[in-house]
Amino acid sequence: MNARTLPYILILPVTLFLCVFFLYPFVLVAQLAFTKGAGFTMDNFREVVTYWKFPISLKNTLLLAALVVPIQLALSLLMATMVTKMKRGRDMVLYIWTIPLGISDLAAGIIWLAIFEQSGFLNSMMNGLGLIEGPVNFLSYQNPVIIFVAIALAEIWRATAIMLVILVAGIGLIPKEYYEAAEVFGASPWKRFLRITLPMLRPSLQTALILRVVLAFEVFAVVAALGGTLFPVLMGEIYSYQFDLLNSNGAAALALIVLAFSIGFTLIILRILRVPKGATI
Amino acid sequence: MAEIQIKKVAKQFGDYQALHDINLTIADQEFMVLLGASGCGKSTLLRIIAGLETATTGEVWIGGRRVDHLSPKDRGIAMVFQNYAVFPHLTVFENIGFGLRMQKLPNDEVTRRVERTATLMHIEQLLKRYSGELSGGQRQRVAVARALAMEPDVILMDEPLSNLDALLRMEMRAELKGVLADSNTTAIYVTHDQVEAMSMADRISVMHEGKIVQAASPIAVYRDPAAEFVASFIGNPPMNFLNATPAGTGKWAVAGQEFDGPQTGATALQFAIRPEDMQLGDSGLTATARVVEPLGAHLLVTCDLDGNSFRAVLDSDLTVRPGDKLTLAPQPDRVRWFDPETTLAVA
Amino acid sequence: MTDVATNATATASTRKAGHYVYAASVFLLCAWILVPLYFLLINTLSSPEEVNSFPKSFIPAFNLGSLTFFAGFEGMMSALKNSVVVAVMTMVLSIIIGAPAGYALSRFDFRGKELFRLLILLTRAFPLPLLALPLAVLFIQTGLDDTAFGLALVHTTLAIPFAVLITFSLFSGIPVELEEAAWTLGCNRFTAFTKVILPLVLPGITASAIFAFVISWNEVFAAAVLTIENRTLPAFLLQTLGEAPLHLKFAGGFILVVPALIFIFAVRKYLFAMWGIANR
């Protein structure tokens, strides 16, 4: 019977596809990063790291992630717990809260541009409330903090839903009996959240955090829409290496650095949030 | 002709030997039950006959044809699954007619057969419904009708009644037996329920740890079990076992009493008697009643006999109290003997 | 006795207050999501002059000026068309390639299964758009550069992990017994799949196809890297971000957002069942 060969036939297309369009380019990127003209060299890395924009783009990316990810984690946890208690209107609220999932990061950037730009809605509101006389140019180089805040807000707005979906699914898997047992034993709602929900959510939290952190390093279009060149981030720098400086070796080297950060943080999260064997639902 | 022959079939899953050297012949139109506890290999054997699993070694013959290299659809079989496997996206009519449509039978023939089997299984009023609207018992009837509509040579059933509640199970048992007796199909039925096996089978194959321990008619399996496993598995409450030591040629000492038994040179035997083959009498085994259960139709008394636990089924009119001393006389022709080492019956 | 009574009313009123806080927070969070979208709507439905004016009104003028400007802008409509073409190709490719693998994972135990699953998960941990860089060179060599098909191939790489994991959980939800029953009723493996499995998973597969469409529709970085003449909408908007007039940006953003909104609404049921579980 071809039941032995059939599974391999079925996974062949995907494996081939991923080899050609994932593994092979990955090898190419590594190649590009570690060569220059002829032989093996670390020059590209040196060049990229010593470029004046590197420290600031690294700092910006890390700072943004450090601010946005914890806020999103807390917010999505809050929203997930709120949603589990809901009865009427749950579907509608859930849909509204996950709308940002379908919104591209570029569109999100544009949306928040509408709020923050000079003739935008924030200015209009403040003017309407009598707080300011004329429009304030929020997104100018004179207000780096405001630009940072605008980008952070846009990111929080856009990407919380990603974590929310994973956490809602995770909470849904926790059997009600555990809460009821805890309640019978005298645990308050907050205690129940801390001692039952959070620990049992570990696998989902792990997944959600890893996903979010990896995506945080890829932040690009939102920044481009709101800050342009005023707020350099790693991904933007890769783009500029490739197309403005026409230095694909540099772009590749920087890409590998981004990858290293992603993997590094993934491993850290896996370690901190590791689930003991047998301690899952 | 749908005689089934299983020759030297063995099945291994990795390191685990699920079936050892199975040899069985099932006569045309016979109702054969494969009986055993979970994990004994009965479902595996059924699936090998069906073609859903392949045997590691051995041959399967159906109707004089060797079929072990054929896919299920080419073996002339139809199957009823434990969880019914009624297709959720089709109506009852389309479910029952599914196999017939696959055979490209003409529409009026399909309709005729579907309506006939649906009436047979008392679901003719449900033909337009979907399985989601049906109860478990109704879905089971659809599954049976679907198999019967194929008019197969062999019908295979994998614990079809085990997911039904007790009352429904009893009704369906009688119904199935009647329906299958009327059709000219060979049937193989897998179950762990010995009552089902006893009530429905022409012959029972008692299975244990991947082997067939005994294949015989229900009454033979009940009266003359071939091994201790069969003796203790069949019958509720189970058979009583006592140690027997030699007391002369053809004589054995059991709990201080002497009984006629097999003439062998063995140093020890197992004396076995069913609780329902015991009576209160003047001579026999002495026991002290411990638990008395008045079950209505009879009295179930669990006793202490010579340090062993011993059960007797007595007349419900008797009055027995815990602590009473009883003399229990076994019916002589119902006593059975087993070799404690091989666990096989000794004549 | 009165203490108990006052305690009871006290807890009752705190509970009521708690309910109000809860309802208010839910409302606020919904507003937080919807209001910015509303702002975008206002801008889209305003004339170009109104978009650039200050202060902004909070009611849309229902003027189609911006949208007509958008439609008439050089290269915009073809960018839109390109987005659709690439997204459709991605949708088709990711399902055709991914679904068989999902089926294999759910039905078979084969050597290398864990390795395969690892490969799929690996693609999620890696910033995939970065792969567009070397692929740009490869595409130039093979003539796929600046083509919809070339970009669709990259987008499919993005979408395939989802397609595999989602179809895996879909197929796993269908008992093997149904296929086995079909095999005993005259079907071979293929007809059992088409007549029994496919009708049951079709809604789920459609949902995951739509999901692949949205992923492709929204993707920016790879699109910007791999297309020059035949830009998709996000790439086009990115390119013109610096110089384009405001009303163009907003109208473009709106066009980006609306189809995705509709699609997510259509598949919202499956989103949680599949995305949540597929991500574990």
Side-chain angles (χ1 to χ4, degrees), chain C:
Chain C
M1 290 301 278
T2 41
D3 280 344
V4 175
T6 41
N7 270 344
T9 40
T11 40
S13 56
T14 41
R15 214 178 309 146
K16 232 182 174 193
H19 278 168
Y20 282 133
V21 170
Y22 176 78
S25 332
V26 172
F27 180 76
L28 271 174
L29 284 168
C30 289
W32 153 255
I33 303 282
L34 290 174
V35 166
L37 285 173
Y38 179 65
F39 287 157
L40 184 67
L41 183 69
I42 295 178
N43 270 337
T44 312
L45 292 177
S46 313
S47 66
E49 301 76 37
E50 284 166 332
V51 171
N52 286 295
S53 73
F54 175 85
K56 288 274 200 305
S57 92
F58 288 91
I59 303 170
F62 291 105
N63 181 309
L64 293 175
S66 296
L67 280 174
T68 34
F69 181 83
F70 171 82
F73 193 83
E74 174 88 41
M76 190 61 79
M77 290 316 276
S78 66
L80 191 59
K81 186 188 69 129
N82 284 327
S83 272
V84 173
V85 168
V86 172
V88 168
M89 278 197 232
T90 306
M91 184 171 77
V92 170
L93 278 174
S94 59
I95 292 295
I96 291 182
I97 297 178
Y103 181 78
L105 279 178
S106 81
R107 288 286 186 251
F108 298 98
D109 253 328
F110 51 96
R111 217 179 313 178
K113 184 174 180 176
E114 282 312 306
L115 194 67
F116 181 72
R117 286 190 86 172
L118 195 66
L119 176 66
I120 300 288
L121 286 171
L122 211 64
T123 53
R124 304 270 259 101
F126 189 80
L128 280 177
L130 293 177
L131 295 171
L133 298 173
L135 281 177
V137 178
L138 185 67
F139 280 359
I140 292 176
Q141 291 168 340
T142 53
L144 283 172
D145 182 54
D146 201 17
T147 56
F149 185 63
L151 185 60
L153 288 173
V154 177
H155 283 178
T156 307
T157 318
L158 260 181
I160 271 189
F162 291 99
V164 172
L165 292 174
I166 291 177
T167 50
F168 164 65
S169 72
L170 274 176
F171 287 124
S172 299
I174 304 208
V176 181
E177 274 191 349
L178 288 180
E179 283 181 89
E180 291 181 340
W183 296 342
T184 64
L185 291 166
C187 291
N188 57 31
R189 261 214 128 83
F190 183 70
T191 36
F193 182 81
T194 49
K195 286 191 179 292
V196 175
I197 306 291
L198 210 53
L200 293 173
V201 296
L202 212 50
I205 293 210
T206 313
S208 97
I210 290 179
F211 201 67
F213 183 96
V214 171
I215 290 178
S216 165
W217 178 264
N218 284 338
E219 203 281 325
V220 179
F221 191 86
V225 165
L226 287 171
T227 57
I228 310 166
E229 299 293 315
N230 296 318
R231 297 209 156 233
T232 60
L233 189 60
F236 191 85
L237 285 173
L238 184 74
Q239 179 192 35
T240 57
L241 261 183
E243 321 92 39
L246 274 178
H247 46 280
L248 186 72
K249 288 190 214 178
F250 293 135
F254 182 76
I255 301 290
L256 264 184
V257 161
V258 165
L261 274 184
I262 298 176
F263 286 148
I264 296 288
F265 184 76
V267 304
R268 68 193 188 285
K269 245 198 315 170
Y270 293 91
L271 216 51
F272 286 89
M274 298 180 321
W275 174 306
I277 296 176
N279 262 307
R280 282 160 59 70

